[in-house]
Amino acid sequence: MRAVWKRELKAYLKSPLGYVYLFLFLFATGFIFCTVNVRNGISDVQYYFQMCCYILIVAIPLLTMRLYPEERKNKTDQILITAPISITKMVLGKFFAAYSMFLISLIPTLFCVGFLMIYGNLEWGVVLGNYVGFLLLGAAYIAIAMLMSCVTESPIIAFMLGLFSLLFFALCDLLLSITDWAIVTKLVNLISVSTRFLGFSTGLFDLSAIFYFLSLTVIFLFLNIRIIDKRRWS
Amino acid sequence: MIEVKNIVKSYGDKYAVNDISFTVETGEIVGFLGPNGAGKSTTMNILTGYLSANSGTALIDGIDILENPTEAKRLIGFLPEQPPLYMDMTVREYLEFVYDLKKCKFPKKEHLREICELMKIEDVYNRMIKNLSKGYRQRVGFAQALVGNPPILILDEPTVGLDPRQIIEIRKLITRLGKKHTVILSTHILQEVQAVCDRIIVINKGQLVADGNAETLAHKEAGNRRLVARIAGNKAEVKKAIRAMNSVLSCEEMGTKEQGTTDYLIESEPNVDIRKMLFRLLSDRGWILMGLKSMDMSLEDVFVSLITNEGGVEE
């Protein structure tokens, strides 16, 4: 697992894609920080993090789009699958590489938050809640987008599929405004990301929300493993 | 060392591999021979655990590749048809990655250096793989299979893309490796199996059509014996006399290559040597035998006949 993680992380840092991701994320979050917090003099991190969540919808597929398509194109998946490691470890290696990049991109946000702490008054609980929520959300988003990257051989299609599926998870609440069918309401409540994140952003550590994000991550990683395993049989 | 039993792999209703069984003993060098698309690569992919068979079992040193893949894969070094190279890595980074991936226990630096010396890739050790020529890439791919010193090497067309000198070197290397490793290699080049393999397995249309060394295959497939005789004498009479001999099935004129003589192609029943009888017949009749050559089937003929035979049966 470590070997795969190390290789993928190195690939991110050596290819333009890793920097495109970092640039996009930093530019967008920095822009929000400047326009919302600095210019209007608001020390509210809640809004800042909520906007960051939307940026992730575009940024995360960038991170995952080449994880599988490139391997299949260059047939390098053959070395991974015929190596004496399990498919689970291979998938986890890739997941943690993408997650490490995600963590790296969070470092600059600490400056923004630190800035607000010095010049505004922030509650520790709220900041911590937002970060915990954001870390969980990132993991779930990466797992979802990784699955989309796994089903196609084209990085562009992987990106589009990742984008659409994340959009669906993030914005499915909007469905509630156009329909009031019981089944739709039930389904949306079951999968809605934003209602769960809301708790964290107000500094509330809801155990069920933590469980929701973790299980979302595990389910999608599991599907990922199953699809790769299944491919050998088809 | 390797035991394959009744392996079947189909895509939809098309069989890529249809009921193949064979065993490979420790230390053997076995060549998979067959035309393109015969199922060689599929069989190798199943052996290495890249693909799963629909039915049948593959045992690597007694370990089922499906039941205990991690243990079985540890024993195999695999060079796929297209070397699995990461273009954005240097040769060193790549081999170190493979070393970590296989969780090797040897001293890393020395082990990798040995392999590079063996494959003659030391001079490109710090270069990016995407900048290497096809021959170098193939050898880096080969080097990758050797990392960890696995007892079994499975090489899918190991000499593709190499120049003639490199091909000879790689063949020598495989022969050398065969002393310590069990090797399965696939190729559609006949000279290659003849040059390096102890045993040949011919695969065609997903089925195993022959298994043995070059000589037994030639005998098995040779069928009728053929001789070319250069005789000075009256054409019509010579032909008539030879055709009248016991065991002779046919006698055809092949034209004149030396003045005053004619070449004849004589086909006789298998397992009968007609050369003595032919000599006596000719000397009794006063004709002169200028030359006599046995037309044993070459491996090439065997190969072609195996493949066409099987094709006929299928249809």
Side-chain angles (χ1 to χ4, degrees), chain A residues 15-35:
Chain A
S15 73
L17 196 70
Y19 295 99
V20 168
Y21 163 77
L22 286 176
F23 174 79
L24 177 91
F25 188 78
L26 296 186
F27 180 79
T29 55
F31 184 76
I32 289 162
F33 179 70
C34 288
T35 50

Side-chain angles (χ1 to χ4, degrees), chain A residues 29-85:
Chain A
T29 55
F31 184 76
I32 289 162
F33 179 70
C34 288
T35 50
V36 175
N37 295 98
V38 178
R39 199 151 175 277
N40 297 337
I42 301 169
S43 66
D44 177 15
V45 280
Q46 219 173 315
Y47 186 71
Y48 172 70
F49 272 103
Q50 250 167 35
M51 291 313 282
C52 286
C53 289
Y54 289 120
I55 293 161
L56 281 189
I57 295 172
V58 182
I60 292 293
L62 271 179
L63 214 48
T64 56
M65 66 189 246
R66 49 153 285 285
L67 280 178
Y68 292 107
E70 215 153 82
E71 301 260 11
R72 284 172 77 188
K73 204 177 78 195
N74 295 329
K75 305 257 177 178
T76 43
D77 57 336
Q78 266 182 315
I79 195 172
L80 295 177
I81 290 172
T82 60
I85 61 162

Side-chain angles (χ1 to χ4, degrees), chain B residues 65 105 134-135 156 160 164 222 256 303:
Chain B
I65 188 84
K105 297 270 159 37
K134 203 170 174 217
D156 201 347
V160 161
T256 299
F303 180 52

Side-chain angles (χ1 to χ4, degrees), chain B residues 232-275:
Chain B
N234 183 298
K235 279 186 204 169
E237 277 182 41
V238 168
K239 223 157 60 173
K240 206 174 138 196
I242 292 177
R243 280 185 181 156
M245 280 172 69
N246 281 336
S247 314
V248 168
L249 300 169
S250 73
C251 175
E252 296 301 330
E253 259 177 60
M254 289 172 76
T256 299
K257 291 206 180 109
E258 196 180 326
Q259 213 174 9
T261 69
T262 311
D263 287 7
Y264 301 88
L265 177 66
I266 305 164
E267 206 167 327
S268 64
E269 283 168 8
N271 312 321
V272 181
D273 194 348
I274 61 158
R275 284 176 301 179

Side-chain angles (χ1 to χ4, degrees), chain A:
Chain A
M1 188 165 92
R2 251 198 73 219
V4 177
W5 171 78
K6 206 169 124 192
R7 202 214 79 77
E8 290 294 347
L9 195 60
K10 258 190 188 168
Y12 277 130
L13 296 175
K14 265 188 181 176
S15 73
L17 196 70
Y19 295 99
V20 168
Y21 163 77
L22 286 176
F23 174 79
L24 177 91
F25 188 78
L26 296 186
F27 180 79
T29 55
F31 184 76
I32 289 162
F33 179 70
C34 288
T35 50
V36 175
N37 295 98
V38 178
R39 199 151 175 277
N40 297 337
I42 301 169
S43 66
D44 177 15
V45 280
Q46 219 173 315
Y47 186 71
Y48 172 70
F49 272 103
Q50 250 167 35
M51 291 313 282
C52 286
C53 289
Y54 289 120
I55 293 161
L56 281 189
I57 295 172
V58 182
I60 292 293
L62 271 179
L63 214 48
T64 56
M65 66 189 246
R66 49 153 285 285
L67 280 178
Y68 292 107
E70 215 153 82
E71 301 260 11
R72 284 172 77 188
K73 204 177 78 195
N74 295 329
K75 305 257 177 178
T76 43
D77 57 336
Q78 266 182 315
I79 195 172
L80 295 177
I81 290 172
T82 60
I85 61 162
S86 63
I87 292 173
T88 309
K89 282 184 179 164
M90 176 192 113
V91 171
L92 285 179
K94 282 174 179 289
F95 171 77
F96 282 122
Y99 200 65
S100 304
M101 277 302 281
F102 171 69
L103 290 182
I104 290 171
S105 69
L106 284 190
I107 294 170
T109 65
L110 291 172
F111 290 106
C112 300
V113 173
F115 188 82
L116 292 181
M117 273 188 172
I118 294 167
Y119 296 102
N121 40 11
L122 278 182
E123 276 179 54
W124 269 105
V126 175
V127 173
L128 202 64
N130 270 303
Y131 267 112
V132 170
F134 207 59
L135 289 175
L136 288 169
L137 181 80
Y141 275 6
I142 289 173
I144 294 167
M146 250 176 92
L147 182 76
M148 297 304 141
S149 144
C150 178
V151 297
T152 167
E153 273 180 57
S154 147
I156 302 295
I157 294 175
F159 175 78
M160 296 308 283
L161 285 176
L163 183 68
F164 286 129
S165 46
L166 292 188
L167 268 178
F168 175 75
F169 271 94
L171 303 178
C172 61
D173 302 64
L174 296 178
L175 278 176
L176 294 178
S177 60
I178 52 167
T179 170
D180 53 357
W181 286 356
I183 185 158
V184 174
T185 322
K186 223 173 171 183
L187 202 72
V188 167
N189 284 334
L190 191 70
I191 62 170
S192 170
V193 169
S194 48
T195 49
R196 263 92 177 189
F197 189 77
L198 214 62
F200 288 110
S201 70
T202 53
L204 205 71
F205 290 89
D206 183 358
L207 211 60
S208 77
I210 293 175
F211 185 73
Y212 162 79
F213 280 118
L214 287 180
S215 49
L216 205 61
T217 311
V218 171
I219 287 169
F220 274 89
L221 286 179
F222 176 75
L223 287 176
N224 203 319
I225 294 161
R226 290 305 306 157
I227 283 182
I228 293 174
D229 198 34
K230 183 89 201 326
R231 196 172 286 143
R232 302 191 304 150
W233 297 88
S234 61

